Amino acid sequence: MGQQFRTSSSGQIDRGRILSFTFDGKPYQGYEGDTLASALLANGVRLVGRSFKYHRPRGIQTAGSEEPNAIVELRTGPRKEPNTRATTIELFDGLVANSQNRWPSLSFDIMSINNLFSPLLSAGFYYKTFMWPPSFWTNVYEHVIRRAAGLGKASTEPDPDFYEQCHEHCDVLVVGAGPAGLSAALAAARAEARVILVDEHPRLGGSLNDENYSINGKAGSEWVDEIHAQLEEMDNVRVFTRTTLFGYYDHNVVAAIEKVSDHMPVPHQGHPRQRMWTFYPGRVVIATGATERPLVFGNNDMPGVMLASAARAYVNRYGVKPGRRAVIATNNNDAYRTAIDLHHAGINITAVVDSRIQPDAALVEELESLSIRLLTGSTVGSAEGHQQVSYVQIVTTQGDTLDPERIDCDLVACSGGWNPNVHLHSQSGAKPVYDDSILSFVPGKSRQSEVSVGAANGSFSLQDCLAQGVSAGTQAARQTGFKSRKMAVARADNEGDYAIEALWISPTPYNKNYKQFVDQQNDVKASDVVLASQEGFDSVELLKRYTTQGMATDQGKTSNVNALALLACQRGEPLPEVGITTFRPPYVPVAMGVFAGHTVGYDFMPVRRTAIHDWNTKQGAVFIEAGLWLRARYYPQQPGDTMNDCYIRETEATRNNVAIVDVTSLGKIDIQGPDAAEFLNRLYINNWLKLPVGKVRYGAMLREDGMVFDDGTTSRLEENHFFMTTTTANAASVLAHMEQYHQIEWPELDVVFCSVTEQWTGIAVAGPNSRKLLEQVIDIDISNEAFPFMSVGECMMNNIPARLFRISFSGELAYEINVPADYGEQAWLELLEADEELEVSVYGTEALGTMRIEKGHVAGSELDGRTTAQDLGLEGMANRAKHFIGKHNSERPLLVGEGRLQVVGLKSLEPERNLRIGAHLVDPSVKLETVSQSQGHVTATTYSPQLGCGIALGLLRDGASRHGEQIEAVFPLDDETLKVEVCHPVFIDPEGELVRA
Amino acid sequence: MLRIDCPWCGVRNEDEFSYGGDATVERPTDYASQDDWYHYVYTRQNPAGPHREYWHHVNGCRAWLVVERDTVTHEIFSTAPASPNLPDPDGRTR
Amino acid sequence: MHYSGFSLLKQALTGNRGWTRAWRNLEPRKRYDVVIIGGGGHGLATAYYLAKLHGITDVAVVEKGYIGGGNTGRNTTIVRSNYMLNPNAQFYEHSMKLWEGLSQDLNYNVMFSQRGVLNLIHNDAQRDAFARRGNALRLNGIDAVMHDLDGVRKLMPHLDFSKNTRFPVQGGLAQPRGGTARHDAVAWGYARAADRLGVEIFQKCEVTGIKRKGDQVISVETTRGPIEAGQVGVAVAGNSSRLFDMVGMKLPIESHVLQAFVTEGIKPLVNTVCTFGAGHFYISQSDKGGLVFGGDIDGWNTYAQRGNLPTFNHVVAGGVTMMPCLARLRVLRQWGGVMDMSMDGTPIIGKTPIDNLYLNGGWCYGGFKATPASGWVFAHTIANDKPHALNAEFTLERFREGNIIDEKGVGASPKSH
């Protein structure tokens, strides 16, 4: 064994570095510089995959990222990558690859029986059958189809590698480092523009690596090395290899993927597998070259059939003979170079078959001099063989198909012409246009700051590529503000015309039915295009969608233009009338990890922690998420403590003694200025102008559509200085809302404000002994007379500057103390330790919730964006004589009439059973006209230690007038029903005596 | 990727900003009709083409901006402060 | 011709030469009783039900591009009826029932796959919200199942179930009857079925103007000539504002782009439709094998059918966070559709201030799954000149009156729905 298909000397491989790899478990060897595809060909492996639908044997068709057939599962375990193109995998030592979509083996695949039934499996066949019985689709037909479809198998384990995202600015971005791109980069760089040059290959040079060109009298690769060296010396140039520009987005922003580590078994320690680059160029020079298209003939998908350019690339770049006896089929001059290069590499060229009647005389002469047989006006009608080509049948293009000549060969190198790679141009928003001289699409009018050059611009002559590159690079530098310098254009030593003549499909031998593939990966045949057209799917978009042409992992790179041409033939219209579909990013498939970058897992969204967090953690607190915040939910005291045990204990400790809770997560906004009171007066539904200094007020604000937006307390610290609190959930949106109105609607108000949520730690001190506790640590008089309910004052808490608010969410005598965040934990500890006799304890959000429900305070679950002030029982606060945000729309007829969901209290009528959040409220004595009998739902529930039963808040239709009714809370998800009594939402201390004590 | 030229912060990526909708709608006076208030809150011209719109530099200087942008090509024609009363953006860094 | 396994066999034996056009290729006539503007799923379904259920067959559907080329062919193909609010729940459930017999009704396999829809739950607030929604569904006669962690594991075995993770999975709310359908087939199936009942479909026929006489529309101007109409139904979601600008009306709608993505095809990996609760991300796998996923709208007015990077990155980051094995799978295509984002997140289907002009739009994210019911109620509304009970609340007037149907509770902020 061992690389029997190597040439004697050619190629850019390092024959001194032998690499071992396996394919389908069998060991092989290749060289440094090989791709998996070239190494397989070197070892005589021709069959590498099975097709999508018919499971036909497939080989290696191209030498680049356009490969439709040679796709494999690369690597194993959690690093497995299905559908990887063998033609783009750089060989490394220890590489493991396996064929896919076959069973039990690649050479014997049971599903290839589909090939026999192909007339049944024509385009769109699945739309016409599998309809009966209806239940069979999901459970039987689809089940089978899904398992037959798909390609490779994904790993189900987490990816062990990581990905990075980087940004870079430049004046000129050059995409593609072939002759045009290198020239452009050098020209722009010499003008001192900041230049970025990207190329998807490990080595610069583009097509110059694949061809036997010479420039300025030197081998093309030598010229490439020279230019590369010059670029490397300039500090205004960055060169990215193994980097594919995949997306052209708005405002001239483009994105690329750099394959940092894919050419090694595993990434180096600390290195990403791949990196996403977002580039911000002043101007983009697109020098992405062109892609050859195959000829459409019978069995053109067979292993051994290859693009003519790919055959050259394997010989010239990789030192591999893709076959021993080759037929070259073409409709243009370009493929003659394949014949010549392959001949010089020692491959027997059994014939060049040219569909044109009169090929280029010089080329004819050259073939003659090499004794290569030339057949003109002919083409390959079919390839024949078992799992690989063993001979072809030649037909004349005039339609003489009854006497095909048989020519033995193991390689058919074919060229149907070249398509400029207009993908990025199209992604940028521009429309490619058809160019009849090359029978393909070329860039149209630019929509963003980009220009295409060289083969990407439809210019296939090397000299044109070099010249256009220099010119575009020079101009791009000038357009981005640099003084251009004249630069000589390199001289291409060998030139020739392209001279293509249309041959979109070959006649078949004996006019027999052959499978002539257009889209090889998706198994779309020429007959499918005909059928789609016949059935009315005769626009490019419908054709694509009906036949799936161009939708495979190769994105139709080799099939699009052929399909359009065949459709044009069907419609009897010129090709440009048929049009072209839009190219969408990414240009090549890109791993999801690249787009995700590092913002996954814990970095997907930040976690916000309060100053008390560490202490809470040490106490074994159980946390709950509140937006991004982590808040202590309850504090287990001993093993086996349930949440209920804890919150009941914490509630009782608060109601009977004193306890503290961390309320830092509430939004806090500092508001200052002569018009601060007026500003608040417009934001809130209630009055603010006459709030005295040193007082706190509860306020509610609406959205402009009249629904309640947020609530909280705001304090007047000084005449022109207020301090607002918001709900945890709305902290950011309230600030943005205030900025919007201040900057856009009321710029005349002299007020400034900013968020101070992070600057203050908030601790609520609640319970009948709260004053007693605070008196130990606070330096101001907080007696009921000096500091009544709804007071605010600045003070010192021991040695900590603090603000004290006499407000209560629990319904108890309570305070809230704010200290600078850095003192948060210290203040917390000092409160706990201030009075040993008092046995100050802590409570979490669960107990906080219990007490707020008992007190009937509305919160986030009632302020759900669909409730009005009236619905929430807050309408009494509103001053409708003044103007405030949302006033007008809150007065719309259906928002103030009957039938609204309004806040109520609910009591469980069944002992030992609590209400559940999300239960719906149903009145069995009433039959509604709607299907759903729901009259509302439960928003917040708890067991009330105070009342000794389960209580809840809820939103109930016309609830404010239904206190005393007995209805049901139903939870059909769990088949539960609970009898409840509707009551006033304030369960305890309705007069508010406790808070004023 | 929209690149928005904040008068204070220079050209920044769209993900620093939050969209604030049509800037041609005018908030009615406090004494305007219900109909005016309905249109202000709910109806939009929603043109295909040039569009004056608000953007909030929410992860930046927090200024509200008026941006003229084409809703088909996404080209931005101008960017200006929404408020006449914010500090002068002169001396901004670019 | 009738489609069946038998016809497929018969045609296969005769070289597939006998298949006829799925719908006719005609020239527009001078006048139709009803002109439907918009040859997407909604417009075609409307035409089909007008002909089938209301006996109105003198119907033209005019489409500016190719049929199904708008949002019908750009969505992530999810079908579900798990809406919380009654008007939505009843409407989408009617749609679900139509989906359940659609392939047979149309004689076209739309590949409606009831593989279930699973909404993941990551915290208590979500559990509470989903409990409310799930119970609302059951009370509306719609299937809903609350799964615990084990239940989720069975449906989606490859999620990140590790304990030490940013968003641990706690459970999920599932609608087992939800699933996916083949989006293009829906447009083609309705087109073919409508055509067989006499409806005439015109592609590359863009409406350039609407002619009025008083409170009546008399004709539509198109790139293929003027067409007189007794009644005109507009079903052009994404472009509703542009159409109504032709009659001088502003709508409670903004146009936004919603992106969608598909990976390379792989063997079955995701067997239900799953949504991530902590970031906006939803995923399913097409029958061809590609993982189809999406997230939030880009969040600013646009008519360009393409998306940008920040949303793309964020959506994928959510996906990889939810399901870490996705990282090595490759995205094959990124595209965008232009949504009619209405001011309360709910569609508008009904009459307009112009007597014989009807609006079907404001679909936000809900358009594809609504297709059958949308056409069904729109046909009813046009045929009877008054809405069906199922779309009685989806009026334009609701914004003025205050009957807001806001599933998310975010108010008049189209980018937030």
Side-chain angles (χ1 to χ4, degrees), chain A residues 169 249-251 253 280 447 704-705 735-736 739-741 743-747 883 885 888-889 892, chain B residues 1-3 13 27 30-31 34 37 40-42 54 56 62-64 73-74 76 82-86:
Chain A
H169 296 254
Y249 296 94
D250 285 327
H251 293 198
V253 174
Y280 304 83
R447 289 275 299 277
E704 200 70 272
D705 69 350
L735 183 69
E739 286 166 336
Q740 178 184 0
Y741 280 88
Q743 293 180 34
I744 297 173
E745 305 300 343
W746 309 318
H883 302 292
I885 293 172
H888 294 270
N889 275 302
R892 283 177 288 170
Chain B
M1 177 86 80
L2 299 189
R3 304 267 291 151
N13 281 354
R27 193 163 186 268
D30 290 327
Y31 306 98
Q34 281 297 82
W37 280 96
Y40 166 63
V41 174
Y42 288 106
Y54 291 119
H56 187 203
R62 297 200 67 96
W64 280 85
T73 66
H74 299 163
I76 289 179
S83 166
N85 288 356
L86 291 175

Side-chain angles (χ1 to χ4, degrees), chain A residues 356-397:
Chain A
R356 299 171 299 176
I357 307 285
Q358 277 191 311
D360 186 282
L363 290 171
V364 173
E365 208 170 293
E366 195 168 354
L367 288 196
E368 263 174 31
S369 73
L370 299 171
S371 310
I372 296 173
R373 185 178 173 213
L374 174 65
L375 292 152
T376 59
S378 305
T379 190
V380 173
S382 71
E384 309 286 345
H386 173 67
Q387 296 202 344
Q388 63 169 313
V389 182
S390 53
Y391 67 95
V392 291
Q393 300 193 86
I394 306 296
V395 294
T396 71
T397 44

Side-chain angles (χ1 to χ4, degrees), chain A residues 134, chain C residues 93 95-104 112 114 177:
Chain C
E93 178 58 14
S95 208
M96 179 68 81
K97 287 182 179 142
L98 291 170
W99 277 111
E100 284 172 330
L102 196 60
S103 294
Q104 295 72 31
F112 177 49
Q114 294 185 289
R177 284 160 66 238

